[in-house]
Amino acid sequence: MVQLAVVLEERLRAAFARAGIPGQFGAVRASDRPDLADFQCNDCMAAAKAMGKPPREVAQSVVAAYQAIDPVGAAQIEIAGPGFLNLVVGPGALNARMEALSADPQAGLFTRPAPRRVVIDFCGPNVAKAMHVGHLRSTIIGDSLQRLFRACGDHVTSDIHMGDWGLQMGQLIAGLAAEQPDLPFFADGDGPFPAQSPVTLEDLERLYPLASAQSKADPQFRETARRATAQLQAGRPGYRALWRHFVAVTRASLTRELAVLDVHFDLWKGESDVDSIIAGMVDDLTARGLAERDAGALIVRVAEPTDKKDIAPLILLSSEGSALYHTTDLATILDRRQSLDPDLFLYVVDQRQAEHFEQVFRAAAQAGYAPRDALEHIGFGTMNGPDGKPFKTRAGGVIKLADLIDSARDAARARLDQAGYGGELTAEDRDDVVEKVAIAAIKFADLINPRLSNYIFDLDKFVSFEGKTGPYLLYAAVRMNGVLRKAADNSIAPGAIALDHPAERKLALCLDAFTLATQQAYDKRAPHGLADHAFSLAQAFSSFWAACPILQETDSNRRSSRLALTALAARQLQIALDILGIAVPARM
């Protein structure tokens, strides 16, 4: 599937060459003035400067060459101003492109010519904690990327990569032992141990901050927690059995919360999964001279001569001999290389962790675990409250994801009541609409922003059915599907597409842009480009709907053409929303 802009650019580059103009000229982009042209090229200005000629003279020679290359008129070309080139796609070319998109099951979606094996690491929750808003951006962006990469043809493995190892586990064990010392998990021996967890997630959420605070204030408790951590990692049976309960209780909660967001993972691995390979990895790096002792710690120097700022070494082992986040992240790359052999590793983690990942990636490249260009940190900004600071409760605590979603449901229900939507639906169907509107509001509000930008979370704005919002897209999709359903009920079938109205042209050009939108979202790891396209498509369809009768059109050929255009718009919008992780209700 070749987008019109690509076809025109190929011909325009050939025209520059035919006109005897040296250099790489002929780039085409969407017009800044869509009322005057569909596409534009500004390269005559640069070419004229390089050749020492007037821009308009250069433009005239390019136009003459283009007309010789494109005699059938895929696009009309005109000179504007001092030498800009305006291109208006011919009706034959635009109709043919719409027919090609209609015949494509993916409606023009970009697909990679050579699929790759890709690992996407996102979400990253910790054991003993419910999901909170701090996990939201990683989860939403990461899920949209796994959906996008799969849709474009890659073989994707997603990994939640839980924080399930280290001192925090020892603190939990020590804290629980202080409260319930008679639990059989604390006795010496090999068990058997109870299959029923002695704690709920609520217990762990209460216990962990207490144990963490006590570890800071009480040296004796801190030593007990460190000893428990060492014994857990050494394989003490009771501690391992208790730890498995901690992980299982947390995972059950995470699974429920992620299901609400319709987010799923191929792997539920954690830091613990690489514990068995760390010792061998450390020995190997030391034997190869990549790791060295410095002030008692074992480090890998990762600074490079071209660095413009100091890059600290990666600490492989602390002076006490403990493995750190650097260690487990490096071992995870080794584990993924050995088990999955990916072509590309993506880490969707807060941008504030950029230096950490730069250290880990450089060390991995030095060790030969992965080429540096195969390792990417997909950073993102923060979701902030009205004060511009990371979103918190009024009391200053972190908002749980479940509470945030409940608030979105309440806001969605109120907005539906206010707008008068769904009054004829059953209670069950109405609840489904509320759920989908709430999740669409949350997800689209995040994904419409450039990934590295911070944004203000404004729930009242996000649940609106007007403006650049998820609910607006849902309403557009439901309207399209309603037209198609009514057409089917009346045995009206789509036909050949023949565009004859400006609103049809506008919608067609938007549909044409899907290929480039998905390719750029893929190449830049930037879902906001796809979210922008979905919004533009919904807007273009709204204008088309208002200006062009569809089922009410009396001319049968025009009616079937507009129905075919509607069907294409509905399918393309559905594909875009699927990639964004947004589900569409049947009716609203």
Side-chain angles (χ1 to χ4, degrees), residues 446-566:
D446 193 300
L447 295 173
I448 194 62
N449 292 282
R451 183 165 42 79
L452 290 170
S453 298
N454 302 334
Y455 74 95
I456 302 296
F457 189 83
D458 184 344
L459 196 52
D460 288 339
K461 175 183 174 182
F462 297 161
V463 298
S464 174
F465 284 87
E466 298 175 355
K468 217 168 189 177
T469 69
Y472 175 79
L473 296 186
L474 294 188
Y475 185 69
V478 168
R479 174 183 275 176
M480 295 176 192
N481 293 335
V483 172
L484 299 176
R485 188 165 51 245
K486 188 174 181 181
D489 290 343
N490 289 277
S491 301
I492 302 173
I497 295 178
L499 310 170
D500 64 0
H501 190 282
E504 293 177 330
R505 279 186 56 86
K506 180 181 177 181
L507 177 56
L509 287 167
C510 186
L511 290 162
D512 170 60
F514 186 49
T515 307
L516 183 59
T518 50
Q519 181 176 0
Q520 290 182 338
Y522 179 97
D523 290 342
K524 297 177 181 179
R525 292 50 162 144
H528 79 271
L530 182 57
D532 265 326
H533 175 81
F535 177 69
S536 297
L537 179 55
Q539 279 191 312
F541 181 81
S542 179
S543 298
F544 162 72
W545 164 274
C548 301
I550 305 172
L551 302 184
Q552 299 84 1
E553 173 59 52
T554 56
D555 183 288
S556 60
N557 290 333
R558 186 176 291 122
R559 181 175 62 238
S560 62
S561 170
R562 289 175 180 174
L563 186 59
L565 197 60
T566 300

Side-chain angles (χ1 to χ4, degrees), residues 322-342:
S322 301
L324 306 172
Y325 286 123
H326 279 144
T327 324
T328 55
D329 280 347
L330 185 60
T332 297
I333 293 175
L334 174 59
D335 178 54
R336 288 170 176 164
R337 170 60 67 207
Q338 293 172 340
S339 60
L340 300 169
D341 193 26

